[in-house]
Amino acid sequence: MTSDASLLGLRGLDRAAITSILDRADALLPAVAGAPVADAGSRVSAVVGLVFLEDSTRTRCSFETAVHRLGHRPVVLSGRGSSASKGESLRDTAANLAAMGLDALVVRCSQAGGPRIVREATGLPVVNAGDGRHEHPTQGLLDLSTLRSRLGSLEGRRILIVGDVLNSRVARSNLHGLSTLGAQIVLVGPPSLVPWRLADLAPNIVVSHDLDAVLETADAVMMLRIQRERDAGRAVAADYRQAFGMTTARAATLPDGVPILHPGPVNRGVELDDGVLDDPTRSLVLDQVRRGVSIRMAVLERALAAAGGSS
Ligand code: NCD
């Protein structure tokens, strides 16, 4: 390996590294629809392990598609149906995959820090596909890519992140990435899900418990799913939608052109009303999904180049 191009989080990734991944992903966007990969160089076909020990729809299919579009081959392992269900540790699972000669690993797990353990156990390049409440860096990058395509430079732009920030690895990656690119971040939600202390996580963050009070200042609004599997349900009041949901009535008060994002899966009628999610002038949700593939292609290229898998 020439250098470690693992991607464990956006915390600590500098502006140049983020921008270079975003730029490469833009160049790869036509390949998402099947066009030849731009500037592919001379590739050696690699085998990429996709270790998904937590449920996933978008992220897993997106990584798998990215591997195929790059001309590599995926080996997919999920929690159910693997020896993880017999109690095998993440470290042992990873060491066994490395012994099979895999070139890189993509890891999703409920354990914060799991991808770092895998990197240390195997020495392979590792991409974090979401670890507990910690980070989800490729989601953060695809959100940055989507925002940049709509807003241009993010310097000084005001991005609202609304909902279950406390339990969200998506929010955590986004606030590091947005902060590094110079955006202003407003974290919005009930005090149980958006405590004041979250403002200390990165520069340029403020906290608000009143969505309507900050809505008119937004350049973009990112809604988050209530993480019921991480116990957030208990902290959410019955009137959550009225206070913090992007209802049709609330969306109508947003200035024209302010886009709405959501990482999925959406709880329709809780975080977003049907009419908002399905409004192509407002909702960037499917553009996020499309860009997810190009971002993962760019991140995998970077990881495999370091491992000697392509030139
Ligand atoms: C997110 C996740 O799993 O962290 N989903 C995704 O990867 N698109 C967000 C969520 O589950 O709420």
Side-chain angles (χ1 to χ4, degrees):
M1 203 187 300
T2 52
S3 68
D4 180 13
S6 290
L7 181 66
L8 303 180
L10 295 192
R11 185 173 176 209
L13 206 63
D14 65 20
R15 185 185 283 247
I18 290 177
T19 304
S20 120
I21 295 170
L22 296 181
D23 290 347
R24 180 59 182 150
D26 282 350
L28 288 166
L29 210 44
V32 176
V37 172
D39 305 319
S42 55
R43 281 176 197 289
V44 177
S45 184
V47 182
V48 180
L50 306 182
V51 182
F52 275 73
L53 303 179
E54 254 194 4
D55 291 347
S56 174
T57 297
R58 274 149 293 271
T59 307
R60 184 169 66 78
C61 293
S62 176
F63 267 110
E64 201 168 338
T65 304
V67 171
H68 284 296
R69 290 291 189 210
L70 288 170
H72 301 307
R73 281 160 297 169
V75 169
V76 184
L77 182 73
S78 51
R80 263 162 269 160
S82 77
S83 292
S85 69
K86 300 178 190 168
E88 186 168 39
S89 71
L90 180 60
R91 180 187 294 273
D92 286 344
T93 301
N96 279 269
L97 293 174
M100 292 172 204
L102 270 57
D103 299 292
L105 296 173
V106 175
V107 178
R108 166 169 289 199
C109 58
S110 56
Q111 187 182 351
R116 181 178 297 278
I117 290 171
V118 170
R119 187 187 62 175
E120 279 160 15
T122 64
L124 290 174
V126 174
V127 179
N128 179 1
D131 59 333
R133 295 181 178 82
H134 175 225
E135 281 226 36
H136 190 349
T138 58
Q139 179 72 42
L141 289 167
L142 76 87
D143 291 336
L144 294 176
S145 171
T146 307
L147 286 168
R148 202 176 74 148
S149 78
R150 178 61 86 100
L151 303 177
S153 166
L154 299 181
E155 191 74 52
R157 297 299 202 144
R158 211 168 146 87
I159 313 297
L160 271 49
I161 303 182
V162 182
D164 186 3
V165 180
L166 185 66
N167 293 297
S168 174
R169 55 198 179 198
V170 174
R172 225 153 284 249
S173 287
N174 261 297
L175 57 88
H176 291 304
L178 285 166
S179 172
T180 301
L181 295 189
Q184 304 287 324
I185 301 145
V186 188
L187 302 179
V188 192
S192 56
L193 298 179
V194 187
W196 293 110
R197 66 183 153 80
L198 292 181
D200 299 335
L201 285 174
N204 309 335
I205 301 181
V206 296
V207 162
S208 167
H209 300 131
D210 184 346
L211 178 56
D212 292 316
V214 291
L215 217 46
E216 67 178 20
T217 67
D219 288 304
V221 184
M222 191 179 289
M223 308 299 292
L224 299 173
R225 185 176 65 87
I226 303 292
Q227 305 273 305
R228 294 191 193 279
E229 75 278 28
R230 300 189 213 286
D231 276 351
R234 280 187 291 161
V236 174
D239 60 355
Y240 178 87
R241 173 177 170 274
Q242 274 315 318
F244 296 105
M246 189 55 73
T247 60
T248 305
R250 185 167 274 134
T253 71
L254 271 174
D256 279 350
V258 172
I260 296 169
L261 292 80
H262 190 298
V266 177
N267 291 308
R268 284 180 178 258
V270 181
E271 300 107 37
L272 291 176
D273 278 6
D274 286 345
V276 179
L277 178 60
D278 300 332
D279 174 359
T281 67
R282 281 277 187 223
S283 165
L284 297 184
V285 167
L286 293 180
D287 194 39
Q288 288 173 270
V289 175
R290 184 171 71 102
R291 288 173 182 279
V293 179
S294 55
I295 284 290
R296 287 164 182 134
M297 290 175 75
V299 165
L300 287 169
E301 256 189 0
R302 175 174 176 268
L304 290 165
S310 66
S311 64

